[in-house]
Amino acid sequence: METLDLFGPRRDVFSERYHLTRWGKAKRLAQIAGIARQFDVAHGLTPVKMRLMLEALGPTFVKVGQILSMRSEMLPQSFCDELAKLRADADPMPYETVLETLSHEYGRPVEEIFEHIDATPLGSASLAQVHRATLVTGEDVAVKVQRPGVRETMAQDVSIMRSIAKVATKVVSTAQVVDLGGVVEELWDTFESETDFLVEARNLAEFKRFCAPYKYMDCPKPYMDLCTEHVVVMDYVEGISVSHPDRLIAAGYDLKEIGTKLVDNYATQVLDVGFFHADPHPGNIMVSGGQIVLLDLGMTGRLNSTTRSVMKQMIFAVAKQDSPSLADGLLRFAGADADPADYPALLADLDTIVAEYGNVDLSDLDIAAFITALTQLAQRHGIEVPSTVTTVGRALVTLEGLLDEFIPDVNMIEIISKHIATSKSPKQAARDEIETLGIEGHQALHGLLNALTESKTAARMLTRGQLRVNVELIGAEEPMNKLSDMVNRLTMALIVVGLFVGSSIVYFAGMKPIIFGIPVVGFMGYVVAFVLSVWIVFDINFKGRKKKR
């Protein structure tokens, strides 16, 4: 008998670390069930009802909804579009709670660190709240304070999800559709990094170093000695959000220049450096003192050099309508062990994508639809796309939406394609090409040596009569199935004839006991032969009608 392990006697390390109790889990589970009943989940959910329900369930489920909004292989597109509207805005927590949290984090009175903290927050989300403050040393800063208990609440929700996913995986075979356990662990990794504000502080410091060569790009400087797991202190930046284009124009800024520099720098982050802001929505981008300032580095992504080169390859594969190159890129995304069961079918599906997206200029390419189509195709063919690629896709779609709404004269994919074409000098391109040829030559040489070794083994087995060959005839499945049905029917017919003949011999022999004037053995033979005859006729008639349909 399966149980959810919610009320088991043993407490694991995870529960002890986040102070989870059986009573707390049961109470939270009852709360979740109550909200689910409130939204009448039993009778189905519309996209709007699902969004409202996730908001009512709290920060964990808001984050789940935000992640699912980019997983069109799991949810219909209408649900993804609605979940994309989820925001983590929440009622502000009391000012006294903020002061208590700061005092607890630093272990000393707040007045020793801050000369002043504004009581009115700059922003309040389900995870944290931001206040403007002044340090005793005079610096104007923004203080981001995590809501007390929010990490424990998320841990509690994840613990419940783990138990449910474990049982669901055993009861329902979902491994071929989605790895529920993997999804839950991916969620927890995201939660854990976002609720550890030291991670955000380190991201700010790293991104600050990245911005140093670019006079037009910046981010707030963190005060590392004042940052803790639940508090981030950074420079306060006063500027104009890109969501207010009228104010930017009134201040003398050129929207097209802002958009072009923003996208080109983002291409540098993703394709050249491999460290990028993963949530570039309008609220996280402002213009201050002639610089584009990126805020909230809690969500970042990292790409290795191989993934970056594959992304460039795939963008141009679509432009050149090169399905094999696109397939090669997709398989390289999936890793060295990728082996699609039906490679010709994969190429055929990629031909469809190339036909749809490859006939347009790069400037007209819908990057959101393109990434969604590729992700769904990979899912159908059992190719697991790395989560970092999904993160890039989500970020590009967010950035594309920002440009469409506020800076429509800037085309993101056109700028990215130009960036790829001009990002390398001829000398660097030649050096990279030589390096690539060296690697491929090394792999080819080893492949040739392995092939020679295998050939030697095969020749030895052939001379000893030990060689066996497995042959698979593509497209022969249906004829073989028909032949198998014919042989089965013929076999059954012979059995029926044998039963009739044998029963008749027993009848004329007059063996006892007798029933209805027929020996019992012969009677049973006649009955079995009759049943099998009816079954053969029914099977032939049923399959014949099915083929006509």
Side-chain angles (χ1 to χ4, degrees):
M1 178 178 172
E2 298 288 353
T3 63
L4 291 180
D5 270 347
L6 294 177
F7 314 108
R10 189 170 63 89
R11 296 182 64 192
D12 56 20
V13 176
F14 183 83
S15 296
E16 292 178 356
R17 179 181 178 185
Y18 295 104
H19 312 292
L20 306 182
T21 63
R22 288 173 292 175
W23 169 245
K25 283 182 172 182
K27 187 177 179 181
R28 177 58 176 162
L29 189 60
Q31 184 183 15
I32 293 172
I35 294 174
R37 285 195 301 271
Q38 178 185 339
F39 285 89
D40 198 17
V41 173
H43 292 87
L45 284 174
T46 63
V48 175
K49 282 177 64 176
M50 185 175 185
R51 175 176 62 81
L52 294 175
M53 183 185 71
L54 293 178
E55 289 176 346
L57 286 169
T60 306
F61 291 89
V62 168
K63 183 57 63 178
V64 169
Q66 291 173 342
I67 293 173
L68 288 177
S69 68
M70 282 303 299
R71 303 296 291 270
S72 56
E73 77 276 11
M74 296 174 61
L75 288 177
Q77 192 61 44
S78 59
F79 282 81
C80 293
D81 294 339
E82 186 64 31
L83 293 181
K85 301 176 184 177
L86 279 169
R87 287 291 176 261
D89 297 335
D91 295 332
M93 59 179 168
Y95 181 59
E96 292 75 17
T97 304
V98 174
L99 296 179
E100 290 174 3
T101 302
L102 290 172
S103 178
H104 178 267
E105 286 295 309
Y106 295 126
R108 51 179 168 155
V110 177
E111 294 79 12
E112 294 182 9
I113 302 171
F114 301 98
E115 181 179 313
H116 172 73
I117 301 176
D118 287 353
T120 303
L122 296 171
S124 183
S126 58
L127 182 62
Q129 190 161 294
V130 182
H131 288 258
R132 185 175 182 177
T134 305
L135 297 178
V136 292
T137 51
E139 291 89 348
D140 194 8
V141 298
V143 183
K144 185 175 181 180
V145 183
Q146 189 173 128
R147 289 179 180 269
V150 69
R151 199 174 195 186
E152 287 71 21
T153 299
M154 286 184 164
Q156 193 171 70
D157 290 343
V158 167
S159 179
I160 293 173
M161 289 179 188
R162 281 174 174 166
S163 299
I164 294 175
K166 183 178 180 181
V167 173
T169 302
K170 292 181 179 179
V171 175
V172 182
S173 179
T174 58
Q176 296 179 350
V177 181
V178 59
D179 180 8
L180 292 178
V183 170
V184 173
E185 294 309 315
E186 180 183 343
L187 289 173
W188 175 244
D189 289 341
T190 303
F191 296 157
E192 196 169 31
S193 62
E194 286 194 35
T195 53
D196 185 353
F197 284 179
L198 284 174
V199 173
E200 180 175 353
R202 288 191 290 268
N203 289 340
L204 283 167
E206 183 175 352
F207 201 78
K208 187 76 174 178
R209 291 192 294 270
F210 161 77
C211 292
Y214 304 95
K215 292 183 178 180
Y216 63 87
M217 183 67 62
D218 201 5
C219 75
K221 181 189 74 174
Y223 292 78
M224 296 301 297
D225 56 330
L226 297 178
C227 295
T228 71
E229 193 173 353
H230 302 101
V231 177
V232 177
V233 179
M234 65 195 113
D235 279 335
Y236 173 75
V237 179
E238 188 165 8
I240 305 172
S241 171
V242 292
S243 60
H244 299 295
D246 295 339
R247 292 176 55 188
L248 289 171
I249 294 173
Y253 291 108
D254 183 341
L255 293 182
K256 189 169 185 178
E257 182 185 3
I258 292 173
T260 301
K261 288 182 175 179
L262 173 63
V263 174
D264 186 70
N265 187 269
Y266 204 81
T268 301
Q269 297 173 36
V270 173
L271 299 175
D272 298 341
V273 179
F275 174 65
F276 61 95
H277 194 300
D279 191 21
H281 67 76
N284 286 338
I285 305 173
M286 66 167 53
V287 179
S288 175
Q291 291 182 310
I292 301 170
V293 182
L294 297 185
L295 309 174
D296 192 358
L297 269 291
M299 288 181 63
T300 59
R302 296 181 185 274
L303 299 171
N304 58 37
S305 58
T306 301
T307 304
R308 298 199 301 271
S309 67
V310 172
M311 289 188 67
K312 297 176 185 179
Q313 171 190 338
M314 294 181 71
I315 290 175
F316 281 109
V318 175
K320 293 185 295 183
Q321 301 187 37
D322 187 352
S323 297
S325 180
L326 191 60
D328 178 62
L330 193 62
L331 293 177
R332 286 176 65 192
F333 264 151
D337 296 331
D339 185 18
D342 194 344
Y343 188 77
L346 173 63
L347 284 181
D349 285 349
L350 287 171
D351 283 338
T352 303
I353 291 181
V354 168
E356 183 174 356
Y357 298 101
N359 291 326
V360 300
D361 293 334
L362 280 178
S363 59
D364 298 323
L365 178 63
D366 185 343
I367 189 69
F370 172 59
I371 292 175
T372 299
L374 273 181
T375 304
Q376 292 175 338
L377 181 147
Q379 183 78 12
R380 289 198 302 272
H381 289 274
I383 298 174
E384 184 179 353
V385 178
S387 59
T388 52
V389 177
T390 306
T391 303
V392 172
R394 180 168 63 245
L396 291 178
V397 170
T398 302
L399 187 59
E400 185 182 43
L402 179 152
L403 296 172
D404 288 344
E405 185 173 358
F406 301 111
I407 315 178
D409 292 336
V410 174
N411 189 290
M412 182 180 70
I413 194 63
E414 184 176 20
I415 297 171
I416 292 176
S417 62
K418 289 180 180 178
H419 178 92
I420 296 173
T422 60
S423 60
K424 293 183 180 179
S425 65
K427 186 177 181 180
Q428 180 64 38
R431 186 183 297 114
D432 290 348
E433 187 65 23
I434 292 173
E435 182 180 348
T436 301
L437 288 174
I439 294 173
E440 292 179 350
H442 179 267
Q443 293 174 342
L445 178 60
H446 279 273
L448 179 60
L449 293 175
N450 289 335
L452 291 175
T453 302
E454 296 293 338
S455 299
K456 181 180 178 181
T457 303
R460 185 184 298 112
M461 294 177 66
L462 179 62
T463 56
R464 296 179 180 181
Q466 299 174 334
L467 186 65
R468 296 181 180 180
V469 179
N470 292 326
V471 179
E472 180 181 359
L473 300 177
I474 304 299
E477 292 84 358
E478 186 175 353
M480 292 301 294
N481 289 335
K482 289 182 178 180
L483 180 61
S484 177
D485 287 342
M486 292 172 59
V487 172
N488 290 339
R489 289 173 183 171
L490 182 60
T491 302
M492 293 299 294
L494 291 174
I495 293 174
V496 169
V497 170
L499 286 171
F500 271 117
V501 171
S503 299
S504 298
I505 292 173
V506 171
Y507 171 75
F508 286 108
M511 294 177 60
K512 294 182 180 181
I514 295 175
I515 181 173
F516 302 123
I518 305 173
V520 172
V521 176
F523 181 78
M524 292 176 60
Y526 282 131
V527 171
V528 173
F530 176 76
V531 171
L532 292 178
S533 300
V534 171
W535 181 83
I536 292 173
V537 172
F538 174 78
D539 183 60
I540 294 173
N541 185 51
F542 175 75
K543 289 189 176 180
R545 289 183 178 180
K546 189 175 181 180
K547 289 179 181 178
K548 289 180 180 179
R549 292 176 185 173

